[in-house]
Amino acid sequence: MGADVGTLVLAGTPIGDVADAPPRLVTELANADVIAAEDTRRLRRLTQALQAHTRGRIVSYFEGNESARTPELVEALAGGARVVLVTDAGMPSVSDPGYRLVAAAVERGIRVTAVPGPSAVLTALALSGLPVDRFCFEGFLPRKPGERLARLREAAAERRTLVYFESPRRLDATLAAMAEVFGADRRAAVCRELTKTYEEVKRGGLGELADWAADGVRGEITVVVSGAPETGPGELDPAELVRRVRDREEAGERRKEAIAAVAAEAGLPKREVFDAVVASKNAARAASANGKGLS
């Protein structure tokens, strides 16, 4: 595109303490032609706290209007505008609006840059006391219990440290589901109100943390869970795989789901667990037939 094309700036904002705002944030807010904000009221409070004077047009950009407003912002960028995108806290696009606008800007050849800022993901990870050399961010889990369990089972064999966002209203149910799928003794940390006055980091096994959360927890929550233990795929014999599948079936799971969950727990292909179940079933049938033949 031409030299007069604009720039999209993803601006990180404080996750709690306003003093954590990067100095460049004030400059970008002051120089922006357009400021796209997840919540315009929060933006005004932030600019007042930072004593930042804005001259650009301020528009709302949140989940409900993200698709409709993206083309408008892209056209402003194509026309030479400097557009600054801010969300309520942290970095845009990370479980917040922004991805659609970045993708559309990249497709049009528009420059995209960022003002790095505080991150709940990295802050919680650093404070958790769990391994930080390899990790993956899972965002928010589904609200429906069945979908939440399915997502957790997909991650049951993940070796990397896992980071989740969660609502305080669902924290107890989520931790209980994690204890069920990952194991009650799996180490984790619940990070609450990071960088704010009542910041708290609660560390322990998932079962212990689920019991703690049952009494109710307030504030913004980030959950960090240690990765699956280093157990080799060959450590569980077929009989143990079959037993685990049977236990899950007796608890009400369908066989297909039980096999998938056990495979994830053991770090094995689903086919290997399926073959063990079929072999056990065939062996039981053969033993029954032999017993009848001898009677």
Side-chain angles (χ1 to χ4, degrees):
M1 299 189 73
D4 59 346
V5 70
T7 299
L8 172 61
V9 182
L10 307 180
T13 56
I15 59 176
D17 191 336
V18 73
D20 292 334
R24 212 179 107 215
L25 176 60
V26 175
T27 302
E28 289 292 351
L29 290 172
N31 294 334
D33 298 304
V34 180
I35 302 174
E38 184 177 11
D39 186 324
T40 56
R41 292 168 299 182
R42 288 198 180 194
L43 172 64
R44 290 191 182 94
R45 289 197 292 270
L46 178 63
T47 56
Q48 288 172 0
L50 296 176
Q51 298 183 348
H53 303 287
T54 60
R55 63 174 177 81
R57 181 166 58 97
I58 296 175
V59 299
S60 64
Y61 189 75
F62 60 99
E63 185 178 2
N65 73 354
E66 191 175 359
S67 296
R69 180 141 282 169
T70 293
E72 171 191 331
L73 293 174
V74 170
E75 288 308 312
L77 287 161
R82 191 171 187 86
V83 176
V84 174
L85 174 61
V86 294
T87 52
D88 291 348
M91 181 59 65
S93 291
V94 182
S95 283
D96 276 332
Y99 166 74
R100 288 186 178 90
L101 182 55
V102 172
V106 169
E107 186 176 352
R108 290 284 293 270
I110 295 167
R111 180 172 179 260
V112 181
T113 187
V115 177
S119 164
V121 176
L122 297 180
T123 302
L125 187 69
L127 294 177
S128 69
L130 299 173
V132 299
D133 54 334
R134 298 176 66 231
F135 70 94
C136 53
F137 174 56
E138 292 288 313
F140 284 94
L141 287 165
R143 297 185 180 187
K144 294 182 179 179
E147 294 177 2
R148 181 168 55 224
L149 280 172
R151 181 76 64 80
L152 289 172
R153 284 168 184 152
E154 290 176 1
E158 176 59 63
R159 300 284 191 260
R160 294 171 294 180
T161 299
L162 300 155
V163 184
Y164 296 89
F165 286 160
E166 190 51 281
S167 159
R169 295 186 300 276
R170 295 190 297 273
L171 180 62
D172 57 341
T174 291
L175 290 172
M178 287 179 171
E180 176 186 341
V181 175
F182 298 156
D185 295 330
R186 180 85 72 91
R187 304 299 295 173
V190 176
C191 303
R192 185 178 74 84
E193 294 289 88
L194 289 171
T195 76
K196 299 179 183 177
T197 302
Y198 297 104
E199 176 181 281
E200 179 182 21
V201 180
K202 188 74 173 179
R203 304 175 182 88
L206 284 168
E208 174 190 349
L209 292 173
D211 291 340
W212 164 75
D215 293 331
V217 177
R218 294 183 179 181
E220 296 188 358
I221 305 293
T222 304
V223 180
V224 186
V225 184
S226 61
E230 295 288 344
T231 55
E235 291 189 13
L236 295 179
D237 61 28
E240 175 62 15
L241 296 174
V242 172
R243 186 192 67 76
R244 292 190 179 192
V245 171
R246 187 183 302 115
D247 287 347
R248 286 180 171 273
E249 286 186 285
E250 291 175 354
E253 286 189 19
R254 292 183 299 177
R255 177 166 295 180
K256 182 179 179 181
E257 294 172 346
I259 288 173
V262 171
E265 290 171 356
L268 293 169
K270 286 186 286 186
R271 185 73 197 184
E272 190 167 334
V273 180
F274 174 80
D275 288 345
V277 171
V278 171
S280 175
K281 190 174 181 180
N282 290 340
R285 284 177 177 172
S288 177
N290 289 338
K292 289 178 181 178
L294 294 172
S295 60

